Structures are given as structure tokens and as C-alpha cells.
Amino acid sequence: MQKALPHGSAFCYTPAYMASLEELRDSRLAKMNRLIEAGIDPFPARIDRDFPLAEVRDRFSVLSASPDATYAIAGRIMAIRGQGAILFVVLDDGTARFQCVFKKDAMSEDIFSLFTETADIGDFISATGTFFTTERGEPSLLAAKWQMATKALL
């Protein structure tokens, strides 16, 4: 439940409960352990990446011209939007931001479920798939698979 607090001429909404740092860390450690149980290294020495995100943005029309060509991109998760069978994930690699689309029907259900169960904002990931433009005109990568690069613990 949220409570409205007066703040100048507007209202501020504060969550009724906010997780402590210890609770966040415990949750992320549990997610890290889930990755390990699935046979995935949460801190691999190498990941797949074909281009920096700024280069992907600059060359998007060329890279997306071949619908069958697959590419790997990597970055820190800055946002995760959506729910259910489709997620929009914004990655940032320090050169640019780029959107990945995770669709349940575009990858195996196990891989999709593992992402939804273990990925958090702040994690570094690699995603491999094909480039396309969304209905809203956003250049994106339709992920067929993903790899954890670094699991953020705080």
C-alpha cells in the first residue's frame, strides 16, 4: 500500500515496504545459486559480443538487412519492461544503449524462464539473436539465447 505525502504543491508516493540491502543481496545470491544449479557460470571469463552498442546503432540498417544473420551484443541491464511472454531489456555498454526483446516463443522455454528468474537490473549479459525494428520503430535485437556476464550482488 502506498501513502501520499505532501511535498510542495504535489504529492510524493512512498512504497509501504522497501527491501534492505541485506534482503537485496540475499535475493541476488539466491539467483546466483539458481544459475549455478542450472550449470551456468555467473562470472564467466569470456562472453560473446560482435560489436559495441554504438556501432550496432550506427550500422543498424546494414546489420538488420539480413533477417537470418545472428549477432551477439553485451551490456549492463538498465531496464526490464514487460511481463509474461515478452520482455524489453535495455542494455548499456558505455558506448550506447540498445534494446533486446526476449520472447518466450523465440527461445526455449527453459532459457526464457531462467532469464526471468535470475536477471536483475545491474547484471551484465550477452544476448544473441537477429536485429529487427519494433512496431514502435525501436531498433532491437530479438534474443534467441543469452549468457550471464556478471551477476550483480548489490
Side-chain angles (χ1 to χ4, degrees):
M1 182 167 220
Q2 294 183 341
K3 180 170 102 175
L5 301 173
H7 185 273
S9 60
F11 287 95
C12 292
Y13 291 93
T14 57
Y17 176 77
M18 185 180 293
S20 71
L21 286 178
E22 288 177 14
E23 290 168 324
L24 281 174
R25 187 170 187 275
D26 289 346
S27 170
R28 289 178 178 223
L29 282 171
K31 291 177 181 184
M32 182 185 75
N33 288 330
R34 171 71 178 96
L35 287 167
I36 293 168
E37 289 168 6
I40 296 171
D41 182 356
F43 306 101
R46 293 184 180 270
I47 59 162
D48 296 330
R49 183 180 92 151
D50 293 318
F51 306 103
L53 296 180
E55 187 174 344
V56 171
R57 284 210 167 274
D58 291 343
R59 298 181 52 205
F60 184 78
S61 60
V62 174
L63 296 173
S64 63
S66 176
D68 296 329
T70 60
Y71 299 98
I73 61 174
R76 181 177 220 153
I77 298 175
M78 303 305 288
I80 302 173
R81 296 184 311 280
Q83 60 187 34
I86 188 166
L87 298 171
F88 298 93
V89 179
V90 178
L91 298 181
D92 186 329
D93 71 350
T95 66
R97 288 186 177 204
F98 197 81
Q99 177 174 273
C100 291
V101 178
F102 286 71
K103 288 177 73 174
K104 197 174 202 175
D105 62 356
M107 61 177 56
S108 82
E109 190 170 334
D110 291 342
I111 293 171
F112 183 84
S113 294
L114 191 63
F115 182 84
T116 61
E117 293 169 9
T118 61
D120 289 304
I121 292 173
D123 292 347
F124 285 86
I125 66 165
S126 169
T128 302
T130 56
F131 291 120
F132 77 107
T133 303
T134 66
E135 291 177 9
R136 294 189 176 195
E138 181 69 25
S140 302
L141 178 100
L142 178 60
K145 64 180 184 174
W146 72 280
Q147 177 186 9
M148 184 65 71
T150 300
K151 179 66 187 156
L153 299 179
L154 282 181

